[in-house]
């Protein structure tokens, strides 16, 4: 949890800005170090980063003991310098003890505190032989990754950029916006190389992947072109009249994508692989004691999906990973897990979205649009579509249960009823009768079952 960094003023401020991007009140940060070590410099960069466009002057509180600031993304920020504190009882007069219960508190000379508040984060600054450098010890959660992110931003020439957190996904990846610069992707999972390969492939064929502005693939950092905030999911919510146009554009993108030869660096998502992924349902979903499920899905895939050759699949292809840019190509996000799969795969992903409802009439219209443009035979395609829809639903139900049970991320359980409804609709296809029979006694994810899953959280 603790990490040590040698930093100049620039990196010190970058560390402060990176910390400011990921902290939420209440939080207490203890800034330790001798006079001139850079404690106020760190605090000033932190406060101004939190305030953004509303940034104020941040003088040293040496004589006032405490300075307070509005925090646009929280409550308040208290900056205290306790060097001149003569008695710990003065803390009550300052109101600092109460502030630590609800605000973000940056406290210089915290050795005057008695006792030190539990859960406080500690940052120690000490001089180095070079007067321009400081040794900074960060004793806080994920300290090493925070320090590496800050160093990457500095190396990319964006040391002064403000850092704003962006919503993440169910993976270990984290995203931060550098306003006016780009988006920082922090991916410790090792999938940066596949992301870069797919980015080059997509951009080389005119698709809307973001440009890579800077990279450190070894550490898992990318600075990407900012495609904006108009995720298709948000646009559809605020402007539902655009739905026909947007869905046509999504399907047309897939039609164009599937005309491209599959790159040789993506793995196949064949029947056995699909079956293995569905095993998550068997492992984590309650009362799904179905050891034969993976083999059945693999067998059905071999029988129902052999009429068309595999196409490139971006895999997590849905409205929250697509950016609406008007007449420009749709922006693409989160495609590092691309595979070679049956052409129906991404169409299912877009039209049977776990996070939002898609009108069944829209789903049928887009399947028809795809068939008309590609000339694929309708009956086999619809059978494959139903199988892939069922397999994806089973995998997603397993993933959501695992996220709750293993990772404590219970919010995904709320999506389960929609995924289950998609599954039941897919199972009505006659070609899936064996799968429907196998799943007949598995309970639906009603409120009681979801609560049962939630109680298994760590």
């Amino acid at each position: 949890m603790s990490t040590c960094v040698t930093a100049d003023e620039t990196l010190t401020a970058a560390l402060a800005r990176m910390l400011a991007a990921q902290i939420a009140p209440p939080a207490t940060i203890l800034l330790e170090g001798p006079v001139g070590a850079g404690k106020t410099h760190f605090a000033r960069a932190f406060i101004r980063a939190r305030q953004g466009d509303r940034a104020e002057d941040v003088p040293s509180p040496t004589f006032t003991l405490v300075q307070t600031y509005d925090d646009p993304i929280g409550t308040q920020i208290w900056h205290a310098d306790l060097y001149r504190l003569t008695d710990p009882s003065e803390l009550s007069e300052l109101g600092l003890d109460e502030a630590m219960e609800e605000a973000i508190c940056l406290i210089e000379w915290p050795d005057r505190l008695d006792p030190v508040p539990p859960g406080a984060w500690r940052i120690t600054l000490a001089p180095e032989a070079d007067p321009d450098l400081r040794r900074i010890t960060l004793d806080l959660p994920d300290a090493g990754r925070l320090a590496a992110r800050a160093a990457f931003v500095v190396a990319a020439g964006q040391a002064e950029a403000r850092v704003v957190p962006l919503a993440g996904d169910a993976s270990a990846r984290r995203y931060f916006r550098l306003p006016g610069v780009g988006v920082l992707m922090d991916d410790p999972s090792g999938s940066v190389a596949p992301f870069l390969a797919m980015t080059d492939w997509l951009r080389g064929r005119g698709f809307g992947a973001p440009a890579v502005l800077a990279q450190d693939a070894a550490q898992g950092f990318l600075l990407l072109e900012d495609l904006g905030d108009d995720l298709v999911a948000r646009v559809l919510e605020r402007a539902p009249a655009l739905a026909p146009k947007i869905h046509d554009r999504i399907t047309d993108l897939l039609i164009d994508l599937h005309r491209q030869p599959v790159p040789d660096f993506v793995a196949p998502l064949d029947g056995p692989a699909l079956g293995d992924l569905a095993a998550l349902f068997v492992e984590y979903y309650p009362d799904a004691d179905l050891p034969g499920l993976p083999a059945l899905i693999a067998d059905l895939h071999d029988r129902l999906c052999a009429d068309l050759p595999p196409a490139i699949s971006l895999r997590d292809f849905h409205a929250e990973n697509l950016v609406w840019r008007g007449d420009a190509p749709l922006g693409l996000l989160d495609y590092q897990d691309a595979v070679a799969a049956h052409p129906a795969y991404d169409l299912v992903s877009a039209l049977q979205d776990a996070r939002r409802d898609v009108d069944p009439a829209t789903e049928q219209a887009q399947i028809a649009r795809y068939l008309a443009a590609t000339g694929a035979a309708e009956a086999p395609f619809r059978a494959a579509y139903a199988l892939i829809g069922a397999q994806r639903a089973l995998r997603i139900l397993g993933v959501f249960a695992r996220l709750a049970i293993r990772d404590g991320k219970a919010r995904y359980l709320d999506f389960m009823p929609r995924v289950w409804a998609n599954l039941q609709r897919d199972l009505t296809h006659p070609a899936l009768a064996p799968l429907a029979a196998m799943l007949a006694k598995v309970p639906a994810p009603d409120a009681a079952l979801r609560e049962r899953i939630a109680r298994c959280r760590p």
Side-chain angles (χ1 to χ4, degrees), residues 90-164:
E90 295 179 49
L91 290 173
S92 297
E93 298 175 17
L94 294 172
L96 186 59
D97 50 350
E98 293 182 3
M100 286 188 285
E101 297 178 1
E102 59 185 26
I104 294 176
C105 297
L106 302 167
I107 302 176
E108 300 183 36
W109 300 98
D111 55 309
R112 272 64 168 173
L113 290 173
D114 186 22
V116 173
W121 295 355
R122 193 179 302 273
I123 298 175
T124 305
L125 299 93
E128 292 276 30
D130 184 335
D132 293 329
L133 298 178
R134 297 292 181 269
R135 186 174 68 258
I136 302 178
T137 303
L138 303 166
D139 188 7
L140 46 87
D142 202 27
R145 201 67 189 167
L146 181 147
R149 276 198 303 274
F152 171 73
V153 168
V154 171
Q158 303 299 334
E160 302 300 318
R162 186 179 177 223
V163 184
V164 180

Side-chain angles (χ1 to χ4, degrees), residues 246-261:
I246 290 175
H247 282 291
D248 284 353
R249 288 278 298 278
I250 292 172
T251 301
D252 291 348
L253 187 156
L254 291 178
I255 292 166
D256 291 342
L257 191 66
H258 294 168
R259 288 174 177 152
Q260 309 295 325

Side-chain angles (χ1 to χ4, degrees), residues 13 19 115 136 138 141 147 201 208 226 290 314 336 339 367 386 411 415 447:
L19 179 59
I136 302 178
L138 303 166
W201 188 89
D226 190 347
L290 307 170
L314 302 185
Q336 61 280 336
V339 290
I367 293 172
R411 66 185 183 276
F415 298 138

Side-chain angles (χ1 to χ4, degrees), residues 280-302:
L280 282 172
F281 181 77
V282 178
E283 183 175 359
Y284 286 99
Y285 193 87
D287 303 324
D289 184 17
L290 307 170
L293 179 65
L296 177 57
I297 287 176
D299 179 64
L300 287 170
H301 181 275
D302 290 345

Side-chain angles (χ1 to χ4, degrees), residues 218-271:
Q219 292 201 79
F221 297 118
L222 297 176
L223 183 59
L224 304 171
E225 175 189 5
D226 190 347
L227 299 179
D229 283 325
D230 281 339
L231 299 180
V232 162
R234 296 175 186 169
V235 176
L236 288 171
E237 184 175 356
R238 70 172 184 256
L242 283 175
K245 179 179 181 180
I246 290 175
H247 282 291
D248 284 353
R249 288 278 298 278
I250 292 172
T251 301
D252 291 348
L253 187 156
L254 291 178
I255 292 166
D256 291 342
L257 191 66
H258 294 168
R259 288 174 177 152
Q260 309 295 325
V262 177
D264 58 9
F265 55 79
V266 298
L269 188 62
D270 54 15

Side-chain angles (χ1 to χ4, degrees), residues 290-378:
L290 307 170
L293 179 65
L296 177 57
I297 287 176
D299 179 64
L300 287 170
H301 181 275
D302 290 345
R303 287 195 274 139
L304 301 178
C305 297
D307 65 307
L308 291 174
I312 186 68
S313 165
L314 302 185
R315 200 164 179 181
D316 287 326
F317 187 82
H318 53 75
E320 291 190 1
N321 281 337
L322 297 169
V323 183
W324 181 250
R325 301 192 294 167
D327 293 333
L330 286 168
L332 301 175
L333 306 173
D334 199 13
Y335 43 75
Q336 61 280 336
D337 295 325
V339 290
H342 188 279
Y345 195 93
D346 278 357
L347 196 62
V348 173
S349 184
L351 297 174
Q352 295 190 5
D353 194 330
R355 297 163 181 80
R356 50 180 291 276
D357 294 322
V358 177
D359 188 324
T362 296
E363 181 179 16
Q364 294 307 311
Q366 295 307 320
I367 293 172
R369 185 180 185 89
Y370 185 91
L371 291 171
T374 61
E378 180 172 1

